[in-house]
Amino acid sequence: MKKIIVFVLFFLLMHFENYSIGPVKISIIWKLILLPILIIYNYKTPKRRDILRYEKIYRPLFYLSLLSLFSFFYDPESALRYSSLFLLFYHLGVYTLGLKLATLIKYINFFKTFFIICFVPYFFGLESKGQVYDLEKYGGGMGVSGPFANPHTASMILAITSLICLFVFINSKKKKERYWNMGLFALSIFFLVNTFVRTGLAMFVIGALPILIKKINMKYVVSGVFLIGLIAYGLSSFVDSDSVFYKRLIGKSRHNEEKTFEQAGSGRGLLFLTGLDIIKSNDSALYMIFGLGEANLKKEIKKRTGNLIVTHNGFLDLLLITGLLGFALFLYFLIKNIGIIRKSNSKLLRGLGMSIYFTIVVMVFFQDFKRIYPFLFLIIINSIIIQLLNDSNKKIDSFKEIVSGIKMANA
C-alpha cells in the first residue's frame, strides 16, 4: 500500500509539474524545495569516511554551480537557474553516497518501473500537460510526452529505463523477475518509438552495446534474437517508407529534407556551426574563460539564424554559456564517473554503468545537460558500485541480488 501511495503522489507531481504558480512552474518549485532539504540532510547526516571520499567525483558540479553565478550581473535568471541545477546534481550525488545498498536498490527499481508505467494512463486518453510533438508535417499524429514537459524528455527517460529493464531481463535468474522486466522493456520500447524522437532512439542503440557485449553466448544470443524479433515485428508498421515514423527518422517532412549538414538533426547542424562561429568571433577573453551566459548566447544565435535558442549540443552550450572553465569542469566530471564505473568489481554491473554513461553522453551531445532524471540513474549506479567496492564481501557477478533487493540488501 505504501508503494502505491508513493507511486500515485509522484505521478500527480509529474502530471501537474508543467502548471505554474504565478510566473514559476511547479517543476522548478519542487526542485527548489528539494535542494535545501538535501543540503541540510547532507551536512547534518554523518557518512562513512570510506564512502564520503568519493564525494570528489561530484565536486566539479559544485564548482560549476559557483561558476554559473559569474553571469549573474548580465543574465541573473539563467545564472541562478544553472547554479541551482548543478548544486542539486551535486547534493543528489552526495545524498546517494550515504544510502544503504537496500535503499539504492529500491530507488532504481521504483524509478525504472514508475517512468514506464506512468505513460500508460496517457495511452488510454489522459491528456498530457506538457508540449506535444505535432507530426503534421510528416503526415500526421502526435508524439508521446506522457507526464513530461515534452517528447524529448520523455524519450530520454524511456531510453534509459528500457536499457535497465533489458539488463535485468538478461541477467536475472528468477523467472518472475525476467518476465516482468521483459514486459516493461517491451512497453518502454513501444512508448519510446511513439515519442518519434531520434535522440532517445540513439541513446538506446548506443547504450545497449555495453550490456549485450557482456553476454555473448548461445543462451543470450537466442534471447537477444527473440527480443529483436519482437521489436522488429512491432516496428514493422512504423518503418514503411511512407510511414510517419520513417519520415521522422530520416528527417523528410513536407517542407524540408535533411540533405546537408546544416539541415541535419532538425537544423542542429546549422546551430552547431553557428555556435562555432560565435566562438570564432568572440574577442573577449573574459567571456571565453567564464562564458557568455544563456541570454547572450541566445541573442547571438538569433542575430545569425533568427531563432532565440541555444545550439542543442550540450557540450557546445556549456562551452559558450560557462566558458572554458565550465566546459573543463564538466569533462572532468565525466572522466571521474567513467573511472568509478571501470573500477566496479562486477563485470555485469560495469556493463550497466557504461550503458547509462554512454546514454548520457549521447543525450548531452544531441540535446543538453539539464535533464535531472537521466543523471539521477547515473548517480544511483555510481553509489551501488561504490558500496560494493568498499565491501569485499559483496563482490557480485550477477544482478540477481540487486534487482530483487534483497538478501544482500541488509547484509
Side-chain angles (χ1 to χ4, degrees):
M1 179 59 71
K2 183 179 178 181
K3 288 182 179 179
I4 295 174
I5 293 172
V6 171
F7 195 99
V8 171
L9 291 175
F10 197 42
F11 176 80
L12 291 173
L13 174 64
M14 297 290 295
H15 179 71
F16 290 107
E17 73 170 4
N18 292 301
Y19 281 91
S20 296
I21 298 177
V24 185
K25 279 190 173 184
I26 292 176
S27 61
I28 297 175
I29 292 173
W30 75 256
K31 293 180 181 73
L32 290 177
I33 293 173
L34 177 61
L35 179 57
I37 293 174
L38 286 173
I39 292 173
I40 293 170
Y41 179 88
N42 286 337
Y43 282 111
K44 282 193 172 183
T45 306
K47 295 178 175 59
R48 289 164 42 189
R49 288 186 178 181
D50 59 335
I51 294 293
L52 190 58
R53 65 191 176 92
Y54 288 99
E55 174 267 345
K56 62 186 177 183
I57 69 176
Y58 300 115
R59 212 168 291 162
L61 298 175
F62 178 78
Y63 295 139
L64 262 170
S65 175
L66 298 178
L67 181 65
S68 298
L69 294 174
F70 174 80
S71 61
F72 178 82
F73 296 103
Y74 52 85
D75 188 8
E77 187 273 331
S78 64
L80 291 173
R81 180 158 44 85
Y82 281 110
S83 181
S84 300
L85 180 71
F86 287 126
L87 194 61
L88 180 59
F89 285 178
Y90 168 76
H91 280 286
L92 276 172
V94 175
Y95 167 72
T96 60
L97 285 175
L99 297 178
K100 294 181 179 179
L101 189 60
T103 305
L104 293 167
I105 291 166
K106 289 177 182 177
Y107 276 177
I108 201 168
N109 272 313
F110 173 81
F111 285 123
K112 75 142 164 75
T113 303
F114 173 82
F115 285 132
I116 296 171
I117 299 298
C118 70
F119 281 86
V120 174
Y122 300 94
F123 178 75
F124 286 103
L126 182 63
E127 182 182 355
S128 176
K129 303 302 178 183
Q131 297 175 7
V132 179
Y133 201 158
D134 188 351
L135 298 163
E136 184 276 333
K137 63 182 179 180
Y138 296 102
M142 296 287 182
V144 169
S145 293
F148 297 100
N150 51 62
H152 286 84
T153 302
S155 76
M156 295 170 196
I157 298 298
L158 287 166
I160 291 180
T161 51
S162 63
L163 288 167
I164 295 174
C165 291
L166 174 64
F167 180 84
V168 177
F169 166 72
I170 290 175
N171 294 291
S172 178
K173 305 299 182 182
K174 295 181 178 180
K175 286 186 177 180
K176 182 179 178 181
E177 198 78 46
R178 284 170 60 82
Y179 292 149
W180 170 247
N181 281 278
M182 184 176 72
L184 285 177
F185 173 73
L187 201 58
S188 64
I189 291 296
F190 173 76
F191 290 131
L192 175 60
V193 169
N194 278 279
T195 63
F196 292 89
V197 175
R198 291 172 292 185
T199 300
L201 293 169
M203 289 169 64
F204 172 77
V205 171
I206 299 299
L209 296 178
I211 293 175
L212 297 177
I213 287 172
K214 297 293 180 183
K215 282 291 183 181
I216 303 299
N217 61 50
M218 184 54 67
K219 176 182 177 181
Y220 293 105
V221 166
V222 171
S223 297
V225 169
F226 174 71
L227 272 177
I228 292 169
L230 279 179
I231 295 170
Y233 178 78
L235 289 177
S236 60
S237 62
F238 288 92
V239 295
D240 181 85
S241 60
D242 289 326
S243 68
V244 174
F245 180 78
Y246 180 78
K247 291 176 182 176
R248 174 71 184 111
L249 200 62
I250 66 172
K252 182 181 180 181
S253 71
R254 292 174 181 172
H255 316 296
N256 185 44
E257 286 189 52
E258 297 179 4
K259 291 183 176 180
T260 65
F261 179 79
E262 288 83 354
Q263 295 170 323
S266 300
R268 279 178 173 78
L270 176 61
L271 291 173
F272 184 79
L273 294 176
T274 301
L276 294 180
D277 182 62
I278 293 171
I279 294 173
K280 183 180 178 181
S281 61
N282 182 18
D283 57 1
S284 170
L286 201 62
Y287 282 162
M288 184 63 71
I289 296 172
F290 295 101
L292 299 167
E294 186 180 89
N296 283 337
L297 172 59
K298 287 182 175 180
K299 289 176 184 177
E300 290 294 327
I301 291 178
K302 187 175 182 180
K303 288 179 186 177
R304 293 163 170 81
T305 68
N307 296 310
L308 193 66
I309 54 178
V310 292
T311 70
H312 286 285
N313 179 299
F315 293 105
L316 189 55
D317 283 337
L318 265 168
L319 179 58
L320 288 161
I321 293 171
T322 62
L324 286 169
L325 279 179
F327 182 72
L329 283 169
F330 190 76
L331 287 184
Y332 185 64
F333 165 71
L334 291 179
I335 292 168
K336 297 295 289 184
N337 272 262
I338 202 168
I340 288 295
I341 294 168
R342 292 181 64 184
K343 287 181 180 178
S344 174
N345 50 24
S346 164
K347 292 180 179 179
L348 296 180
L349 188 53
R350 187 158 60 245
L352 178 62
M354 288 294 186
S355 173
I356 303 301
Y357 179 87
F358 286 132
T359 60
I360 287 179
V361 171
V362 172
M363 176 191 75
V364 174
F365 187 83
F366 288 109
Q367 196 67 36
D368 60 49
F369 52 87
K370 303 187 291 291
R371 316 287 168 147
I372 185 172
Y373 300 116
F375 278 100
L376 178 61
F377 280 109
L378 178 65
I379 285 168
I380 293 174
I381 293 295
N382 281 345
S383 293
I384 291 174
I385 290 172
I386 289 166
Q387 289 277 0
L388 297 174
L389 280 173
N390 282 274
D391 192 333
S392 58
N393 295 321
K394 292 180 181 177
K395 292 183 179 180
I396 59 171
D397 288 311
S398 81
F399 205 50
K400 176 182 177 181
E401 295 89 346
I402 290 181
V403 294
S404 308
I406 323 319
K407 292 182 179 177
M408 74 182 237
N410 297 317

